[in-house]
């Protein structure tokens, strides 16, 4: 596709007012990127963390964060949950600010400890694709940066922003740290993933957000619906699910871990095989969240409405 063609199609049929609003937003976003880059990595990270630690708890989303923590850690003291929520807001703010300077957060920066680098090298040298899976942990862009730095040809999925001019800037920022193959979620993205796997390119997907059409599995002892896409791809191409994770360390440093692969059994009962694969990935994410709860993206409404309704029932509310 020619450079800019996606933006041209996205702007077709929009009113001039919408286009002006998009362009103003894009200028503001470019200003944010410029400011963060001017501040430098450590100061940008600290500023982002301080802002969301202060502002996050006074937003309506804070209720989602605290409810999620009640579901995940029902035995945790209310004061401890509130402290964890504030720490998580700071982590989210740091990660958001760091996206502007991600080219300074690659393995070459010396800020990333890599555990299991030999697995990445083996994937790169094998010529066979894998399906990388993970969750929204710490600065999750670090995972893409490490996969790229290892020389693995990989389609990185992402959700395009509504504003096509901002989306172009986001893609350009990711290209600065090596992300060249993009597969938008939805629409043509699925075809791009299939084509990429057919060419021997790996794919990387987040698999920890609500997906109503997905099979029901268990997450923190409660039902959730999770996307079956990664497991379906692994089964279709006869490959493994390759879990990876990232942990934030002091001093704007990170630990990137390449875990043991998840073998997806093909028993002939495809629906059951998919459920088992989805559950395995969901359990992997849960294990990582339990290890480092402050690193997860708690602002997302992960569980179905009935779980939140049960949480808000008088008997449950009285137990907090």
């Amino acid at each position: 596709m020619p450079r800019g063609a996606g933006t041209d199609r996205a702007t077709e049929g929009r009113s001039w007012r919408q286009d002006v609003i998009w362009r103003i937003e894009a200028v503001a976003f470019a200003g944010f990127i410029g400011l963060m880059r001017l501040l430098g990595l450590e100061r940008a990270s600290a500023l982002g963390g301080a802002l969301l630690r202060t502002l996050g708890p006074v937003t309506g989303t804070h209720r989602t964060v605290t409810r999620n923590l009640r579901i995940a850690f029902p035995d945790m003291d209310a004061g401890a949950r509130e402290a964890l929520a504030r720490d998580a807001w700071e982590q989210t703010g740091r990660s958001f600010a760091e996206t502007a300077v991600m080219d300074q957060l690659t393995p070459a920066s010396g800020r990333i400890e890599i555990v299991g680098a030999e697995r990445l090298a083996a994937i790169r040298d094998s010529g066979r694709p894998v399906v990388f899976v993970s969750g929204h942990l710490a600065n999750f862009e670090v995972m893409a940066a490490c996969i790229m730095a290892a020389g693995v040809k990989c389609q990185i999925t992402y959700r395009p922003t509504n504003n096509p001019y901002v989306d172009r800037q986001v893609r350009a920022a990711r290209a600065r740290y090596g992300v060249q193959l993009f597969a938008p979620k939805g629409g043509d993205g699925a075809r791009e993933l299939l084509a990429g796997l057919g060419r021997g390119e790996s794919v990387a997907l987040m698999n920890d957000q609500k997906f109503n059409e997905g099979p029901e599995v268990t997450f923190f002892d409660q039902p959730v619906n999770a996307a079956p896409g990664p497991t379906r791809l692994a089964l279709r191409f006869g490959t493994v699910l390759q879990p990876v994770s990232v942990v934030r360390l002091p001093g704007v440093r990170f630990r990137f871990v390449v875990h043991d692969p998840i073998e997806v059994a093909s028993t002939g009962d495809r629906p059951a095989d998919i459920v088992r694969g989805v559950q395995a990935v969901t359990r992997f994410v849960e294990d990582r969240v339990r290890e480092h709860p402050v690193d997860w993206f708690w602002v997302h409404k992960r569980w179905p409405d009935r779980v939140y309704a049960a949480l808000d029932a008088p008997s449950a509310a009285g137990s907090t």
Side-chain angles (χ1 to χ4, degrees):
M1 181 172 64
R3 185 176 298 276
T7 299
D8 293 340
R9 282 204 296 266
T11 57
E12 287 177 1
R14 299 292 183 177
S15 69
W16 67 267
R17 288 187 178 85
Q18 178 65 77
D19 192 65
V20 168
I21 292 170
W22 275 343
R23 290 179 183 274
I24 292 172
E25 290 174 346
V27 169
F29 186 74
F32 161 76
I33 296 290
L35 175 60
M36 294 300 102
R37 296 186 69 81
L38 182 64
L39 289 173
L41 175 60
E42 295 202 7
R43 286 187 294 177
S45 178
L47 176 61
L51 284 175
L52 273 199
R53 186 179 185 88
T54 301
L55 299 177
V58 300
T59 65
T61 306
H62 188 64
R63 183 167 181 260
T64 297
V65 173
T66 55
R67 293 168 89 204
N68 285 341
L69 287 169
R70 284 175 60 197
I71 293 169
F73 303 112
D75 298 327
M76 184 181 290
D77 175 80
R81 279 200 302 265
E82 183 62 29
L84 176 55
R86 290 178 178 274
D87 290 344
W89 274 116
E90 179 177 341
Q91 294 282 55
T92 300
R94 283 182 174 273
S95 296
F96 179 68
E98 289 161 1
T99 59
V101 285
M102 272 301 303
D103 53 316
Q104 300 174 36
L105 266 178
T106 64
S109 71
R111 291 180 177 272
I112 304 174
E113 170 193 345
I114 300 179
V115 179
E118 69 283 355
R119 292 188 189 276
L120 284 182
I123 293 168
R124 178 196 63 213
D125 297 340
S126 71
R128 298 187 60 214
V130 300
V131 179
F132 287 99
V133 289
S134 192
H136 291 78
L137 306 164
N139 183 339
F140 42 87
E141 292 290 343
V142 166
M143 295 184 281
C146 290
I147 292 170
M148 295 297 101
V152 177
K153 289 186 177 180
C154 185
Q155 293 268 1
I156 304 294
T157 57
Y158 83 111
R159 189 178 301 281
T161 64
N162 292 331
N163 183 324
Y165 303 113
V166 170
D167 190 63
R168 181 184 290 177
Q169 293 182 55
V170 170
R171 290 168 64 99
R174 300 186 86 190
R176 282 198 291 268
Y177 58 94
V179 179
Q180 298 292 337
L181 302 174
F182 297 92
K185 292 183 178 179
D188 294 336
R191 285 193 291 273
E192 292 180 24
L193 288 179
L194 291 173
L197 282 162
R199 292 189 298 265
E201 298 164 0
S202 295
V203 299
L205 305 101
M206 297 294 187
N207 205 192
D208 63 337
Q209 293 196 316
K210 188 175 183 181
F211 188 80
N212 290 332
E213 295 78 19
E216 184 173 282
V217 292
T218 301
F219 185 57
F220 282 92
D221 300 320
Q222 296 291 340
V224 293
N225 296 96
T231 301
R232 284 177 174 165
L233 290 173
L235 285 167
R236 178 166 179 170
F237 287 89
T239 188
V240 298
L241 295 166
Q242 177 56 68
V244 293
S245 66
V246 62
V247 176
R248 183 179 291 275
L249 304 175
V252 197
R253 301 175 67 86
F254 299 87
R255 178 183 300 118
F256 172 68
V257 183
V258 187
H259 298 262
D260 292 337
I262 298 172
E263 301 279 351
V264 184
S266 181
T267 66
D269 185 346
R270 185 55 62 95
D273 293 341
I274 289 173
V275 171
R276 279 191 293 271
V278 172
Q279 181 63 77
V281 175
T282 304
R283 187 178 301 112
F284 165 80
V285 174
E286 179 181 332
D287 289 344
R288 304 291 78 75
V289 177
R290 288 188 182 276
E291 289 173 354
H292 300 280
V294 71
D295 280 342
W296 198 48
F297 197 59
W298 291 99
V299 301
H300 173 65
K301 192 176 179 182
R302 180 66 186 92
W303 285 270
D305 291 342
R306 67 182 186 276
V307 174
Y308 292 101
L311 184 71
D312 296 334
S315 59
S319 63
T320 59

